[in-house]
Amino acid sequence: MTTAGDIMHRGAQWIPAHETLDRAAQLMRELGVGALPISDENERLCGILTDRDIVVGCVAMGHDPAKITAGEMAQGTPRWIDVGADVGEVLQEMQGHQIRRLPVIDNKRLVGMISEADLAQHLTEEQLAGWVESVYARSGMR
């Protein structure tokens, strides 16, 4: 059985909710990622911040990314998956909530992230086609 731990990208890092968006963008650049899980003061997941969130939700709105925090951008219920969940559960979670990145948690600690690239490397063509259709067709993403 292939698990979330088998397909995830290890070494994911939190961005604390109190950090500003300019710092988040710098961390994304340093890590070579387009999304960061947001943690509250107890290192619990409270959202995910994407590069698109920074551009569309802050910069394009005329706001200063040095004055807006990651926590202010956190919206909705954060989704995550346990490290031992099988790949079917990963797909179900991502498809059901139309998400492209999924934090992986082990014993309440962030241990990795699953992204589109991770799925492309580990899924069959049929599984990947189904995922793409369900996530992109309904979301209207281009």
Side-chain angles (χ1 to χ4, degrees):
M1 171 180 82
T2 303
T3 67
D6 295 329
I7 66 172
M8 72 182 185
H9 176 82
R10 297 185 184 283
Q13 291 186 26
W14 297 107
I15 184 81
H18 68 271
E19 285 286 357
T20 58
L21 298 184
D22 62 338
R23 177 63 190 127
Q26 292 164 2
L27 186 56
M28 286 179 190
R29 183 190 64 222
E30 290 167 17
L31 297 172
V33 299
L36 294 168
I38 305 168
S39 70
D40 65 15
E41 62 279 352
N42 298 315
E43 289 197 352
R44 290 188 174 258
L45 182 67
C46 63
I48 293 185
L49 179 67
T50 67
D51 48 7
R52 187 175 192 278
D53 293 332
I54 295 170
V55 172
V56 175
C58 178
V59 176
M61 300 296 288
H63 301 297
D64 182 352
K67 295 182 180 175
I68 306 292
T69 66
E72 291 175 89
M73 298 297 289
Q75 298 177 2
T77 303
R79 309 307 307 179
W80 57 273
I81 196 85
D82 185 80
V83 69
D86 77 23
V87 72
E89 293 173 81
V90 170
L91 291 174
Q92 185 177 6
E93 185 70 18
M94 293 177 85
Q95 289 171 328
H97 298 282
Q98 293 184 298
I99 54 178
R100 294 163 201 47
R101 299 170 179 103
L102 187 62
V104 181
I105 306 293
D106 185 20
N107 199 25
K108 298 183 182 179
R109 304 303 259 172
L110 177 70
V111 294
M113 288 278 281
I114 297 173
S115 69
E116 296 166 298
D118 300 314
L119 294 179
Q121 291 178 346
H122 293 93
L123 298 181
T124 66
E125 286 185 27
E126 185 177 306
Q127 287 173 313
L128 190 57
W131 181 82
V132 167
E133 182 179 335
S134 68
V135 170
Y136 284 100
R138 289 187 286 167
S139 70
M141 290 295 297
R142 295 174 192 221

